[in-house]
Amino acid sequence: MIRFFAAPMTAMALLLAGAADASAAGMIDFTGTSSTGYLGHGASPIPRTTVMYNGNYAPGTVVVNTSERRLYLVLGNGQALRYGIGVGRDGFRWGGVHKITAKKEWPDWTPPSQMLARRPDLPRHMKGGIENPLGARAMYLGSTLYRIHGSNEPETIGQAVSSGCFRMTNDDVTDLYSRVSIGTTVVVLNN
């Protein structure tokens, strides 16, 4: 009788141990957030990291460097938190200084008329959620059509594929969102 139960119990213990190891390695996401991506939608190909930063910007400033395809949150003391981003494709990159004028969690998406003219196949409106192209969070930049937002396509991070917005993984945009407020200055460098 003991042998009859020993094999299934051993198999179950190995399965649970394997799941725990995979979860610890960031491979399984039971909580909704992990190193593999918000709700399991992939890790950033460019890990978030603290770096030395020599720019002349006040702590709390967000600096987007489109040529590097990186976003920096200036921390002070010569350091910044660096994130990988996706940027506008050729003809859609831009530069300037704006403020974050709104922040939204799981935002709805209504493609602007300019985008619908290029892509009439797009939906006219999409409720917020994991399949929404704006991802988990969005920070709106001044009176522009542009946002810093999440993405359900982590493979586009480090690429020039958007219509001018700055894409981040859902994990990274959620982290940035928690660190900035409405009124934060965003400097977009388009070298």
Side-chain angles (χ1 to χ4, degrees), residues 10-35:
T10 301
M12 181 62 88
L14 289 172
L15 179 64
L16 291 173
D21 290 344
S23 181
M27 295 168 52
I28 295 177
D29 182 6
F30 296 109
T31 63
T33 59
S34 77
S35 61

Side-chain angles (χ1 to χ4, degrees), residues 61-72:
T61 302
V62 172
V63 180
V64 175
N65 188 314
T66 59
S67 62
E68 287 182 15
R69 298 178 186 166
R70 301 295 187 274
L71 181 149
Y72 296 87

Side-chain angles (χ1 to χ4, degrees), residues 133-180:
L134 296 183
R137 306 287 184 271
M139 291 153 277
Y140 296 76
L141 303 177
S143 60
T144 73
L145 296 174
Y146 304 117
R147 297 166 285 262
I148 299 167
H149 65 79
S151 176
N152 56 12
E153 299 175 313
E155 67 278 5
T156 65
I157 306 306
Q159 306 297 314
V161 295
S162 80
S163 293
C165 286
F166 305 110
R167 295 179 177 188
M168 304 175 79
T169 63
N170 283 324
D171 277 345
D172 282 350
V173 79
T174 300
D175 182 79
L176 179 65
Y177 186 97
S178 72
R179 296 173 186 268
V180 300

Side-chain angles (χ1 to χ4, degrees), residues 22-142:
S23 181
M27 295 168 52
I28 295 177
D29 182 6
F30 296 109
T31 63
T33 59
S34 77
S35 61
T36 61
Y38 203 89
L39 296 174
H41 279 266
S44 176
I46 304 166
R48 173 175 67 231
T49 187
T50 302
V51 297
M52 297 305 295
Y53 190 78
N54 294 325
N56 288 328
Y57 302 104
T61 302
V62 172
V63 180
V64 175
N65 188 314
T66 59
S67 62
E68 287 182 15
R69 298 178 186 166
R70 301 295 187 274
L71 181 149
Y72 296 87
L73 175 60
V74 179
L75 301 174
N77 298 322
Q79 293 186 321
L81 195 53
R82 182 178 65 194
Y83 302 83
I85 58 171
V87 301
R89 62 186 179 275
D90 289 343
F92 289 89
R93 285 188 286 276
W94 59 279
V97 178
H98 292 281
K99 301 272 187 193
I100 293 176
T101 53
K103 294 171 55 176
K104 296 189 180 174
E105 296 184 14
W106 296 107
D108 289 353
W109 179 54
T110 302
S113 58
Q114 300 91 324
M115 185 179 284
L116 289 171
R118 291 189 309 274
R119 295 273 319 272
D121 61 308
L122 292 174
R124 298 310 184 248
H125 182 79
M126 191 175 206
K127 294 294 285 173
I130 195 63
E131 297 304 321
N132 187 306
L134 296 183
R137 306 287 184 271
M139 291 153 277
Y140 296 76
L141 303 177

